[in-house]
Structure formats: C-alpha cells, structure tokens
Amino acid sequence: MVYVSYAWESTSESFVNAISRRLPTDRFEFRRDKTHMQVGDGISCFMAEIGRADHVLVVLSDKYLRSPNCMRELLYLFQHSLGDRADLMGRIVPVTPPVPI
C-alpha cells in the first residue's frame, strides 16, 4: 500500500493523477485523500493513516511546504518513527512535480 501526501494544486494533482494511472493495481494500492475518503470522513483520520503508513509518496511543492495539513502529515510520520531519522526517511519517497513551462 502506498499513500500520497500532496497539496491541492493543479500541478501536484496532475502529477499524482499521472502516477496513479501508471501504477500497476495488481501490485500497489495507491491511497490518496480524494479517492480513499468517503463522504463524512474526517481528514484527520486519513492524516493519521498516513502517519502510520510504511510507504508515503511526498509530492513537494511550494504550496505543500506552506500547508498546515501537509506539515501535520509529516509530523505524524515523524512521530510514528519515534524521531528516528533513518526510519522516517525509509518510509517517505520525496518527489517534485515537473515545473510547467
């Protein structure tokens, strides 16, 4: 199972959509807020799931770094790692979306 943490913006969302389409569904369950959450679910529950995840794709952008929700997801990951940098870095895969020309 792969979770994705990203800011809602056109470039990052397009990038996440493209990744989602390319991952083989027989090998990976790709979880993101917009497709995993049901009506009435609280975002905080999904954020806590991200914090406990073994693998999280972190789509870094300027908006991501300024988003309190995105920073909270990283905080949950850090807390679940018990402050162990190697554990944290072993669970996240940081990527940046291509810059539009």
Side-chain angles (χ1 to χ4, degrees), residues 1-4 23 28-32 55-57:
M1 186 171 323
V2 177
Y3 283 82
V4 63
L23 278 178
F28 297 98
E29 183 179 346
F30 192 67
R31 289 201 171 186
R32 63 189 280 193
H55 305 288
V56 180
L57 184 66

Side-chain angles (χ1 to χ4, degrees), residues 44-82:
S44 60
C45 292
F46 185 75
M47 294 164 116
E49 277 186 49
I50 286 178
R52 294 186 302 270
D54 291 330
H55 305 288
V56 180
L57 184 66
V58 177
V59 182
L60 296 170
S61 65
D62 187 54
K63 187 171 180 182
Y64 185 92
L65 296 172
R66 297 178 197 282
S67 165
N69 286 340
C70 294
M71 293 299 100
R72 188 169 297 119
E73 291 171 356
L74 288 179
L75 176 62
Y76 288 155
L77 282 160
F78 178 75
Q79 289 171 332
H80 188 73
S81 296
L82 301 175

Side-chain angles (χ1 to χ4, degrees), residues 2-6 11-25 28-32 56-60 93-98:
V2 177
Y3 283 82
V4 63
S5 176
Y6 66 102
T11 302
S12 290
E13 287 197 58
S14 297
F15 183 65
V16 169
N17 290 339
I19 291 170
S20 177
R21 284 190 303 272
R22 290 187 179 116
L23 278 178
T25 56
F28 297 98
E29 183 179 346
F30 192 67
R31 289 201 171 186
R32 63 189 280 193
V56 180
L57 184 66
V58 177
V59 182
L60 296 170
V93 179
V95 295
T96 55

